[in-house]
Amino acid sequence: MVLVGLNLRPALSSLAPLLARIQADTGLSALAIGALTTLPVLCLGIFAPLAPWLSKRMGPEVTLSLALVTLILGLLARSAPFVPLLFLGTLMVGAAIGVAGTLLPALVKRELPAGADLMTGVYTMALCLGGALGAGLSIPLAEFWSGWRPSLASWALLGGVALVAWVTLMPRTPRGTTVATPGGSMRDLLGQPLAWQVTIYMGTQSSLAYIVFGWLPTLLLQRGYSESEAGWLMAASVMVQLISALGAPWLARLGRDQRPALLLVLGCVAAGLWLLLLGPLAWRWLGVVLLGLGQGGSFSLALTLIVLRTANSRLAGKLSGLAQGGGYTLAAAGPLAVGVLLQLKVGMVAITATLLLIVAVAVGFAMLAGRNRRLDVDPEGRLATR
């Protein structure tokens, strides 16, 4: 699971530092580049709800294997010297990550029910590490391979390692067994306010994450940083996420619910964004640390909420499909909005205000989703919030 998690972010974070080179080489407009950053996030939302359906028919283990194969093929396709394949490969990458990322919380809940929240922090830390590697190594790999295409393709090697390890070591559901765990219907789940509160919190915090993945280096270039320094500042921020990704679920256990932990991490996100985009240049490293701590913690807690707000693994799988499907679809609007703002040549103040508004919406839904509530199925088979 950790090796799989390590592959779910480099495909996204490795693209942002190379956007200027891709645009110069392909002649794509700023709006087309914005669409390129939005496409994988939109695919996360579109394909995530398919994960429970595929898992029911093929089993979660086989479905995750196919997702890794699709990820590898997508990474190779988008590095081909043909612009339509750049978009097709990016679509495949987003679809694969959407399915794989949705399956992991349910697998954790099934395999390690007692420590599901802490294990969620462990594989979230792997996601953050993968994101940091993608952001930090993209430019060095492009220099080493003398081009951005081989730099993007090189991440398929990491996917191959994860695929071999997963096929070899994955848990195997015995054939012929039936799952008696009640999960309720998706229609019932859609009628639960708690499910939507988790979904919108997931969407707003993910929107901020993919804005950072897609546009932070570009925004930092506008502030006067070099291409290399902008890439490393983003990589450092993603690397700091390792600390809070692992620590936030532990911190959330200290209180009666997760609201104090959610407030803390979202406050760090707001402070980090302001310092990096509007604050004094001398404070950029403080901004990097705060942004990293906030985003690592907010994402880890978003996945933890999926586990904590459900009574069993089937419910966790369905809530994961809804929260990540609906959440990532909502999140896709963030990178696209920043692309439009840059196309309109608005100032950094307006862009920062837009990001802080998204943080404020995330805080509102975090206060609802963070309460001590849980989705469960009563003896009559009806879904209820307890």
Side-chain angles (χ1 to χ4, degrees):
M1 290 180 189
V2 171
L3 280 170
V4 172
L6 194 62
N7 277 271
L8 300 187
R9 288 300 175 269
L12 306 176
S13 63
S14 61
L15 189 65
L18 299 170
L19 286 178
R21 299 185 184 207
I22 294 172
Q23 187 172 15
D25 189 35
T26 60
L28 293 172
S29 67
L31 198 58
I33 290 292
L36 189 64
T37 63
T38 303
L39 182 61
V41 188
L42 188 60
C43 287
L44 292 179
I46 293 172
F47 288 93
L50 288 178
W53 183 83
L54 292 171
S55 178
K56 184 177 180 181
R57 282 150 183 79
M58 297 187 293
E61 300 86 359
V62 174
T63 303
L64 193 52
S65 301
L66 292 176
L68 286 171
V69 171
T70 305
L71 175 64
I72 294 167
L73 294 176
L75 287 166
L76 295 174
R78 75 175 183 176
S79 62
F82 187 47
V83 172
L85 285 179
L86 175 63
F87 286 88
L88 176 61
T90 302
L91 185 151
M92 293 172 66
V93 162
I97 294 173
V99 171
T102 302
L103 289 174
L104 280 174
L107 280 167
V108 168
K109 184 84 173 179
R110 190 191 77 185
E111 296 297 319
L112 299 160
D117 53 344
L118 297 183
M119 181 58 198
T120 299
V122 171
Y123 84 74
T124 305
M125 183 181 69
L127 263 72
C128 296
L129 176 59
L133 292 173
L137 295 179
S138 284
I139 297 296
L141 284 172
E143 297 290 341
F144 179 78
W145 294 112
S146 301
W148 59 267
R149 296 182 192 277
S151 176
L152 290 180
S154 61
W155 297 104
L157 296 173
L158 184 62
V161 172
L163 177 61
V164 171
W166 177 253
V167 170
T168 305
L169 302 172
M170 65 184 179
R172 300 180 189 274
T173 305
R175 292 185 180 274
T177 58
T178 57
V179 179
T181 308
S185 69
M186 183 58 75
R187 179 179 295 180
D188 291 340
L189 187 65
L190 293 173
Q192 295 295 322
L194 178 59
W196 287 107
Q197 291 157 12
V198 173
T199 297
I200 298 177
Y201 169 67
M202 170 67 83
T204 48
Q205 69 83 30
S206 294
S207 179
L208 293 165
Y210 290 112
I211 288 170
V212 168
F213 277 141
W215 289 114
L216 184 61
T218 302
L219 297 174
L220 293 177
L221 285 174
Q222 290 196 6
R223 291 216 70 190
Y225 296 106
S226 68
E227 183 186 54
S228 179
E229 186 176 10
W232 279 112
L233 283 171
M234 188 179 92
S237 178
V238 180
M239 186 65 74
V240 172
Q241 292 181 18
L242 299 175
I243 302 169
S244 53
L246 186 60
W250 174 82
L251 182 66
R253 281 189 166 193
L254 298 180
R256 295 179 57 189
D257 56 38
Q258 289 70 52
R259 286 176 291 180
L262 288 163
L263 269 180
L264 178 62
V265 296
L266 289 171
C268 288
V269 170
L273 287 170
W274 185 86
L275 286 172
L276 278 174
L277 300 181
L278 293 179
L281 296 182
W283 292 2
R284 63 188 182 278
W285 287 107
L286 177 59
V288 161
V289 171
L290 288 175
L291 180 62
L293 290 174
Q295 291 205 300
S298 62
F299 180 60
S300 183
L301 288 174
L303 295 178
T304 301
L305 288 177
I306 294 172
V307 172
L308 294 180
R309 296 295 168 263
T310 50
N312 58 60
S313 61
R314 286 192 67 196
L315 272 174
K318 289 183 177 179
L319 181 58
S320 182
L322 175 63
Q324 298 198 58
Y328 288 139
T329 303
L330 176 63
L336 183 61
V338 173
V340 171
L341 291 174
L342 289 172
Q343 183 85 4
L344 296 174
K345 301 187 185 304
V346 305
M348 196 66 71
V349 173
I351 292 175
T352 306
T354 302
L355 299 184
L356 294 181
L357 178 62
I358 298 173
V359 175
V361 175
V363 167
F365 283 94
M367 292 302 95
L368 296 171
R371 295 173 299 167
N372 189 15
R373 304 284 191 273
R374 191 171 71 165
L375 294 167
D376 202 352
V377 179
D378 64 19
E380 287 75 33
R382 294 171 299 194
L383 189 61
T385 301
R386 303 187 187 283

